[in-house]
């Protein structure tokens, strides 16, 4: 007996266990501040001239699409009389707005609300305060700074109960700056493969398994396989059966098909896996959530799948190994009723095509 060497135990069983892994954060603005210049087309019974004002809006998010917007406006309407005092006007109130596409880059919205109005008319201080109600349509541009600053414009019909009741039209344009931020951490379950070890005389020797597929490097003929795919005895992805894995972390810039820097790092590993196994053919499948028009989502998912394929081609992958298909919103894996579900549905899959 050679000091337990003949009694060495080979613990080569791969023990699969579930462990939590942190996915990418979901960042969402919870409040914002808008400062806007306003052109006023007054009721003809009020004046035949025009008016101008400044509107300040504090927006507070209620959910993905709904916002409450307290606001203050102060301005002046021309009287057209050279010796007369101008017609001063203020509003303090709140609107409820609905943004059709949530946090999409280009966001139309509708609003309705009301509040208190003050009308300071020359030589008439008998009834300064009244109430008002307004409805409107507007647009928010895509962010044009890293902080998320956007252009905002809207048109409103305003009914003022001052005096004999007036109906004014307001056209507003200005800047919206995001304030509060909510960062949600998405925690998911992933499969962890414990590495095989050899127990030798009270000593544990760990055998390297660089791609964590359960086949040690000395035996592995495909050393760069993606985690989550089933491999054969020599560590190559089984191509006699259909398999699928989500390329977690492959994301795109807001509402576009431009890959983020983090996505490129992950795709570099996917490129190594494809180049290391010539008989591995895959479908690169793009998916979206259901926010926006179905036809637009279909087109966007195809562009994103094509962008992934183009990047892998640049990394030296054989074109015959890959096809790119966009499925739009047609194959959700979670409910689109929650932000977490929509984020899970926006994904790129690596689907093995069986031989």
């Amino acid at each position: 007996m050679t000091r337990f060497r003949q009694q060495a135990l080979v613990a080569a069983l791969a023990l699969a266990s579930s462990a939590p892994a942190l996915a990418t954060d979901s960042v969402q603005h919870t409040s914002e501040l808008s400062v806007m210049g306003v052109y006023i087309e007054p009721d003809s019974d009020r004046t035949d001239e025009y008016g101008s004002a400044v509107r300040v809006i504090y927006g507070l998010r209620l959910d993905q699409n709904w916002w409450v917007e307290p606001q203050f406006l102060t301005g002046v309407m021309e009287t057209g009389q050279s010796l007369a005092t101008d017609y001063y006007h203020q509003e303090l109130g709140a609107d409820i707005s609905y943004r059709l596409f949530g946090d999409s880059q280009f966001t139309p919205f509708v609003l309705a609300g009301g509040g208190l109005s003050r009308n300071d008319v020359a030589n008439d201080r008998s009834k300064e305060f009244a109430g008002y109600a307004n409805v409107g349509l507007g647009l928010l541009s895509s962010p044009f700074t890293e902080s998320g600053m956007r252009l905002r414009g809207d048109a409103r019909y305003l009914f003022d109960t001052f005096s004999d009741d007036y109906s004014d039209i307001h056209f507003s344009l200005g800047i919206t700056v995001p304030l509060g931020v909510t960062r949600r951490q998405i925690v998911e379950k992933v499969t962890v493969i414990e590495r095989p070890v050899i127990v030798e005389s009270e000593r544990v020797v760990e055998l390297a398994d660089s791609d964590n597929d359960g086949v040690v490097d000395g035996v592995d003929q495909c050393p760069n396989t993606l985690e989550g795919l089933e491999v054969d005895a020599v560590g190559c992805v089984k191509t006699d059966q259909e398999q699928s894995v989500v390329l977690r972390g492959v994301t795109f810039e807001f509402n576009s098909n431009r890959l983020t820097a983090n996505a490129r790092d992950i795709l570099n590993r996917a490129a190594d896996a494809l180049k290391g196994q010539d008989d591995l053919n895959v479908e690169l499948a793009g998916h979206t959530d259901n926010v926006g028009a179905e036809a637009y989502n279909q087109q966007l998912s195809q562009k994103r799948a094509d962008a992934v394929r183009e990047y892998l081609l640049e990394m030296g992958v054989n074109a015959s190994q890959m096809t790119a298909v966009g499925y739009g919103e047609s194959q959700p894996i979670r409910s689109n009723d929650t932000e977490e579900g929509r984020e899970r549905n926006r994904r790129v899959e690596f689907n093995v095509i069986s031989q």
Side-chain angles (χ1 to χ4, degrees), residues 255-329:
N255 201 34
S256 78
N257 63 338
R258 292 188 296 273
L259 291 163
T260 62
N262 183 60
R264 294 186 178 94
D265 292 339
I266 294 170
L267 289 178
N268 289 340
R269 296 196 291 272
D272 291 339
L274 287 164
K275 289 187 292 184
Q277 187 172 345
D278 293 337
D279 66 340
L280 178 60
N281 298 321
V282 298
E283 176 192 76
L284 304 169
H287 300 270
T288 69
D289 57 27
N290 70 345
V291 176
E294 182 177 355
Y296 176 80
N297 287 335
Q298 172 65 39
Q299 183 183 43
L300 179 61
S301 67
Q302 184 64 55
K303 288 181 179 179
R304 288 179 168 178
D306 290 337
V308 170
R309 184 176 187 272
E310 288 300 321
Y311 184 82
L312 293 175
L313 287 173
E314 293 175 7
M315 294 297 101
V317 178
N318 192 323
S320 64
Q321 290 182 260
M322 302 177 293
T323 59
V325 180
Y327 291 96
E329 61 187 64

Side-chain angles (χ1 to χ4, degrees), residues 213-277:
D213 62 357
V215 179
V216 296
D217 289 350
V219 178
D220 200 341
Q221 296 180 15
C222 300
N224 296 305
T225 54
L226 293 178
E227 289 190 49
L229 295 177
E230 187 175 352
V231 299
D232 57 22
V234 293
C236 294
V237 176
K238 292 183 178 181
T239 58
D240 60 349
Q241 63 188 44
E242 294 183 356
Q243 300 188 63
S244 179
V245 65
V246 175
L247 296 179
R248 192 70 63 193
V250 175
T251 55
F252 301 85
E253 293 183 12
F254 211 46
N255 201 34
S256 78
N257 63 338
R258 292 188 296 273
L259 291 163
T260 62
N262 183 60
R264 294 186 178 94
D265 292 339
I266 294 170
L267 289 178
N268 289 340
R269 296 196 291 272
D272 291 339
L274 287 164
K275 289 187 292 184
Q277 187 172 345

Side-chain angles (χ1 to χ4, degrees), residues 8-68:
L9 299 178
V10 179
L13 296 177
L15 303 177
S17 62
S18 293
L22 186 62
T24 56
D25 291 346
S26 172
V27 179
Q28 189 177 73
H29 299 302
T30 59
S31 61
E32 62 188 24
L33 182 68
S34 300
V35 180
M36 310 178 73
V38 184
Y39 174 83
I40 303 175
E41 187 69 33
D43 192 306
S44 59
D45 291 337
R46 193 194 291 267
T47 177
D48 291 331
E49 297 296 323
Y50 66 93
S52 60
V54 174
R55 174 177 281 116
V56 179
I57 303 172
Y58 176 75
L60 184 63
R61 180 189 293 275
L62 299 179
D63 66 9
Q64 177 67 14
N65 300 94
W66 289 98
W67 290 70
V68 60

Side-chain angles (χ1 to χ4, degrees), residues 63-115:
D63 66 9
Q64 177 67 14
N65 300 94
W66 289 98
W67 290 70
V68 60
E69 298 180 335
Q71 62 175 294
F72 173 73
L73 175 140
T74 182
V76 61
M77 301 181 198
E78 303 293 334
T79 62
Q81 301 176 21
S82 59
L83 299 179
T85 305
D86 290 331
Y87 191 120
Y88 297 101
H89 179 79
Q90 289 88 37
E91 299 169 10
L92 180 63
D95 295 327
I96 293 291
S97 72
Y98 181 84
R99 300 182 182 181
L100 273 66
F101 302 145
D103 284 333
S104 297
Q105 284 188 309
F106 174 77
T107 308
F109 63 89
V110 294
L111 61 87

Side-chain angles (χ1 to χ4, degrees), residues 154-209:
D154 63 54
R156 302 164 182 250
Y157 167 81
L158 183 139
F159 179 78
D160 192 343
T161 62
F162 174 69
S163 187
D164 295 326
D165 299 337
Y166 293 129
S167 298
D168 303 327
I169 304 296
H170 291 197
F171 299 96
S172 306
L173 181 65
I175 296 293
T176 295
V177 180
L179 298 177
V181 172
T182 295
R183 184 178 296 275
R184 302 176 181 177
Q185 292 183 332
I186 311 294
V187 177
E188 304 186 11
K189 291 288 185 177
V190 297
T191 299
V192 177
I193 306 297
E194 296 183 1
R195 296 174 179 174
V197 296
I198 293 178
V199 180
E200 182 182 63
S201 180
E202 300 183 0
R203 216 163 38 96
V204 176
V205 179
E206 185 176 68
L207 298 182
D209 178 15

